[in-house]
Amino acid sequence: MIGFDQVVFGYGASPLLRIPSLTIEAGRSMAIIGPSGAGKTTLLSLIAGILTPQSGALSIFGTNIGALSDVERRRFRSRTIGFVFQDFRLMPYLTVFDNILHPYRIADQLTVCEGTRQSAQALAGSLGLGDKLGRYPEALSQGERQRVAIARALVTEPKIILADEPTGNLDMRTKRVCLDLLLEKARARQATFLMVTHDAGLLEQFDRVVDISDYGG
Amino acid sequence: MAGNVGQSFYIAWRYLAFHKWRTAILVLSLSLIVALPLAVDRTIDRISWTLKSRAKDTPLLLGPRESSLDLVLSALYFIKSSPAGLTYAAVDAVERTQLARAIPLRLGVEARGYPVVGTDLDYIDFRQLKLAQGRLPALLGDCVLGATAARQLRLAAGDTITTNSKDFLNIAGAYPMRLNIVGVLASSHTPDDDGIFVDLKTMWVAEGIGHGHQDLTQDASQSLILKQSGRSIAANAAVMEYQEVTPDNLSSYHFHGDQGSYPLTAVIVAPTDQRAATILRGRFMESDASYRLLLPSDAIDKLLNTVFRLNRLFQSAILVTGLATVGIAILVFVLSAEMRRSEMATLHMMGSRRTIAFELYGAEALIILGLCLVAAFTLAAGFEKILPWIFYRLLEG
């Protein structure tokens, strides 16, 4: 469960976000909407522990994120959070397989072993990437790249999946396929799924929709 | 921790491999500035040792008064064309003093790219050369090959080798001569390994000074005779000259004129003792003859001083170029880091280790350094094979 209690965040004196109370139940999906600059990405960053609240308490599965040190927040992030970005942010110099395994290679307490390789392979197969593991991102279509990004976010089996407009660069058909995949995988793993989107046509698929402008400073 | 380092090295290696051309250019540029001065230094050291030890093993050298360096390079290392002006009379001049052994040397003819060295058997003894197979030259037309020449030309005792024709357009010039290989010398790791050793008379025949031809006293040869006066016979150009010494034609070989006037390149002078050496040097210094006696090590020291000065200049130039290259390499790293800021930001969002950027750039730098070291030593080894060849070609002018 993710709980915001009187959380305030901002740069300088004026707060950007003021969330008196918000609870996101574990295993549910939530769409975050709102105008540009309203703080959607900031909200994701707070949940991921990339940013810390100026005041208030943000607890995730009972842990007060704001009270953790930088190293602890990094460890928390690598084990608990899976990120999907709008522009995929794949490493162009790594193959599909290495991109999927990347979270294991960069994090403090994760290691690549035969088990992780097998699960990465299985995950890639389930996302239709089984025959593209040796390719580089430049050789993939937009939809395939996004699927690699999804696989990378899921490979560590995170409890929370954060997606920052992951369908923004895709055509309508691919958008739906991508969202279906994310929702399916999140539900199958009972992970909490939060997605920032501007696309009103996708909202009906979420358990809950939050308009971030309700929490503007 | 070790696992993390291994993973960082893996990512860094993938990054460098993906940008293989950029990496290759960087590695090549950096390794060149290490390899070149290293190879030049080591080559000069090796050449210097080789030149000095050979010069040290040759107490005195008698030759024409012109360039002493040309004389030393020609007589000791067989790498320079023969200076002219010395005749066999010089050998008699030295031997008359009874202060030294005189070993004549004649160069200027090549066979398949290797120098033919005309000398006498004293040379083999003086240089302490050993036979690996066969025997030493005993007859006109015999030769023994140095170890390298035999190996490179794939020749052995029992084979033949033909001298290069220096002036094949000149019908009156010397014809190529087929030499009978009667032995191969054991390797001595000196310029002797590259030589083809013949007796002086064989050398003079190869140069056209001595020759063998069909017997003009036979009836069948009368049509070739232009003029006959007593024992002197003048014949026309149709007389058949032999190009190979065989048991059948050996007796027909002869020389015209006085042996004292036949050309030599140099005479190695081996004094009986230090006192004899000093006396000899004094005598030949006073002499108004056209030849002089010199210490080979003096000429080599002069040459090496010049080489060392040039090397210092070269090393300074390389140092400046090297600093510029290292500066450019640092710039490449900094620009690359600048371009990869968003990548590092992504890794941060994914929960990377705090030190990930340091680890990745450090691993890349270490891999490049490692590749540079391997490339530098490989290149240096390659340069060390080529540089002596270039050096000796430069000496040949």
Side-chain angles (χ1 to χ4, degrees):
Chain A
M1 194 176 76
I2 304 169
F4 288 79
D5 182 16
Q6 301 299 329
V7 168
V8 176
F9 177 82
Y11 300 100
S14 54
L16 177 66
L17 275 180
R18 189 185 294 275
I19 309 174
S21 174
L22 175 66
T23 304
I24 305 160
E25 287 169 36
R28 308 300 294 271
S29 64
M30 185 176 95
I32 303 162
I33 59 168
S36 294
K40 302 186 292 292
T41 303
T42 304
L43 181 70
L44 295 190
S45 298
L46 284 168
I47 294 169
I50 296 165
L51 301 173
T52 48
Q54 279 177 332
S55 62
L58 167 55
S59 88
I60 298 174
F61 301 119
T63 305
N64 183 1
I65 292 294
L68 299 179
S69 69
D70 179 51
V71 172
E72 286 167 334
R73 274 186 282 126
R74 282 170 184 269
R75 285 178 183 166
F76 159 81
R77 193 151 65 240
S78 66
R79 278 175 294 166
T80 316
I81 309 282
F83 246 112
V84 185
F85 304 96
Q86 179 181 6
D87 48 359
F88 321 136
R89 300 208 188 175
L90 300 176
M91 304 302 141
Y93 56 88
L94 295 178
T95 61
V96 166
F97 189 59
D98 279 335
N99 260 295
I100 294 171
L101 278 176
H102 209 38
Y104 281 104
R105 294 205 160 101
I106 58 165
D108 218 357
Q109 292 181 321
L110 302 176
T111 49
V112 180
C113 60
E114 195 45 42
T116 54
R117 282 198 183 90
Q118 281 174 1
S119 63
Q121 221 158 2
L123 180 63
S126 73
L127 289 165
L129 296 166
D131 57 343
K132 295 179 172 66
L133 292 177
R135 293 198 190 169
Y136 287 93
E138 63 187 6
L140 302 176
S141 69
Q142 293 284 89
E144 286 168 338
R145 286 181 204 181
Q146 191 57 291
R147 274 184 276 156
V148 177
I150 291 169
R152 182 179 65 184
L154 297 174
V155 75
T156 54
E157 304 200 344
K159 290 181 186 167
I160 301 169
I161 300 163
L162 303 177
D164 193 356
E165 296 192 60
T167 56
N169 284 340
L170 306 176
D171 59 71
M172 187 43 90
R173 188 180 157 275
T174 317
K175 266 182 195 178
R176 289 204 174 277
V177 172
C178 173
L179 182 59
D180 287 346
L181 264 176
L182 275 167
L183 285 166
E184 179 204 321
K185 295 290 178 190
R187 279 173 193 145
R189 287 150 199 256
Q190 294 182 310
T192 309
F193 175 46
L194 274 67
M195 180 172 123
V196 169
T197 183
H198 281 112
D199 203 328
L202 302 175
L203 299 180
E204 62 194 27
Q205 298 193 59
F206 289 88
D207 297 327
R208 186 177 170 189
V209 177
V210 168
D211 187 345
I212 197 71
S213 37
D214 295 342
Y215 300 102
Chain B
M1 185 62 192
N4 289 348
V5 172
Q7 298 301 337
S8 296
F9 269 94
Y10 177 81
I11 297 168
W13 174 249
R14 297 308 312 166
Y15 180 82
L16 294 173
F18 185 76
H19 300 288
K20 51 182 175 289
W21 292 114
R22 196 170 70 187
T23 306
I25 290 168
L26 193 63
V27 167
L28 192 67
S29 315
L30 289 172
S31 54
L32 266 177
I33 60 167
V34 177
L36 255 180
L38 188 74
V40 169
D41 249 6
R42 287 171 57 135
T43 303
I44 287 177
D45 279 354
R46 216 171 62 217
I47 287 173
S48 155
W49 185 86
T50 309
L51 291 179
K52 277 183 168 174
S53 62
R54 181 79 161 177
K56 219 174 78 182
D57 290 345
T58 312
L60 292 166
L61 201 60
L62 188 71
R65 282 210 169 267
E66 292 107 53
S67 166
S68 54
L69 182 60
D70 283 4
L71 175 70
V72 171
L73 293 177
S74 174
L76 270 62
Y77 311 101
F78 317 141
I79 54 172
K80 190 89 185 170
S81 58
S82 308
L86 193 72
T87 62
Y88 193 79
V91 174
D92 295 333
V94 172
E95 283 179 345
R96 269 199 304 274
T97 64
Q98 295 187 320
L99 292 168
R101 187 162 49 140
I103 303 164
L105 282 172
R106 179 62 183 163
L107 288 119
V109 172
E110 286 189 350
R112 293 174 65 182
Y114 287 85
V116 177
V117 184
T119 183
D120 59 26
L121 292 180
D122 275 356
Y123 183 86
I124 306 291
D125 178 46
F126 173 74
R127 292 285 187 215
Q128 297 177 330
L129 302 174
K130 302 274 180 268
L131 274 170
Q133 56 170 275
R135 59 170 174 82
L136 291 172
L139 297 169
L140 199 65
D142 286 353
C143 73
V144 288
L145 301 187
T148 306
R151 192 178 63 246
Q152 295 291 330
L153 298 174
R154 296 177 184 200
L155 292 172
D159 294 331
T160 61
I161 185 168
T162 306
T163 61
N164 295 355
S165 177
K166 277 199 297 185
D167 43 9
F168 65 95
L169 292 174
N170 178 5
I171 58 167
Y175 294 102
M177 181 182 184
R178 190 177 295 164
L179 300 170
N180 301 311
I181 301 166
V182 296
V184 174
L185 296 172
S187 177
S188 60
H189 305 289
T190 67
D192 293 325
D193 288 348
D194 292 318
I196 297 169
F197 297 91
V198 297
D199 181 70
L200 261 184
K201 285 187 175 169
T202 303
M203 186 69 178
W204 286 328
V205 170
E207 288 188 283
I209 295 162
H211 59 176
H213 52 73
Q214 69 184 98
D215 188 356
L216 294 172
T217 60
Q218 298 294 309
D219 289 347
S221 306
Q222 291 306 307
S223 60
L224 305 173
I225 294 172
L226 296 173
K227 195 170 76 179
Q228 184 164 10
S229 164
R231 290 190 63 196
S232 170
I233 300 171
N236 65 27
V239 175
M240 191 180 75
E241 280 212 32
Y242 302 124
Q243 290 172 43
E244 180 180 6
V245 181
T246 64
D248 295 337
N249 66 22
L250 179 61
S251 60
S252 79
Y253 277 85
H254 56 278
F255 294 84
H256 299 281
D258 171 26
Q259 180 172 301
S261 66
Y262 298 163
L264 288 182
T265 298
V267 178
I268 293 172
V269 178
T272 48
D273 52 28
Q274 189 57 45
R275 183 174 160 273
T278 311
I279 295 169
L280 272 171
R281 289 191 72 194
R283 281 194 194 170
F284 280 92
M285 205 179 284
E286 289 164 10
S287 168
D288 57 355
S290 57
Y291 40 80
R292 67 166 162 186
L293 199 59
L294 59 89
L295 271 171
S297 50
D298 284 353
I300 290 304
D301 284 347
K302 273 184 199 164
L303 169 70
L304 290 177
N305 279 342
T306 309
V307 171
F308 290 140
R309 272 205 297 274
L310 284 173
N311 186 35
R312 277 199 292 274
L313 190 69
F314 172 76
Q315 300 287 355
S316 309
I318 281 283
L319 181 69
V320 174
T321 316
L323 288 175
T325 311
V326 169
I328 289 170
I330 291 170
L331 187 67
V332 167
F333 264 106
V334 170
L335 288 177
S336 168
E338 197 66 30
M339 285 168 69
R340 292 174 71 185
R341 278 175 79 166
S342 75
E343 179 189 332
M344 294 305 151
T346 304
L347 298 187
H348 171 67
M349 290 170 85
M350 286 163 62
S352 67
R353 294 183 291 279
R354 201 176 194 172
T355 52
I356 193 74
F358 174 77
E359 286 175 30
L360 292 182
Y361 295 141
E364 279 169 29
L366 284 174
I367 291 171
I368 285 181
L369 196 68
L371 289 173
C372 280
L373 285 176
V374 173
F377 283 108
T378 310
L379 282 171
F383 286 143
E384 281 178 50
K385 284 192 168 31
I386 300 165
L387 285 172
W389 184 86
I390 294 173
F391 180 81
Y392 288 123
R393 292 296 85 76
L394 283 173
L395 284 182
E396 275 182 350

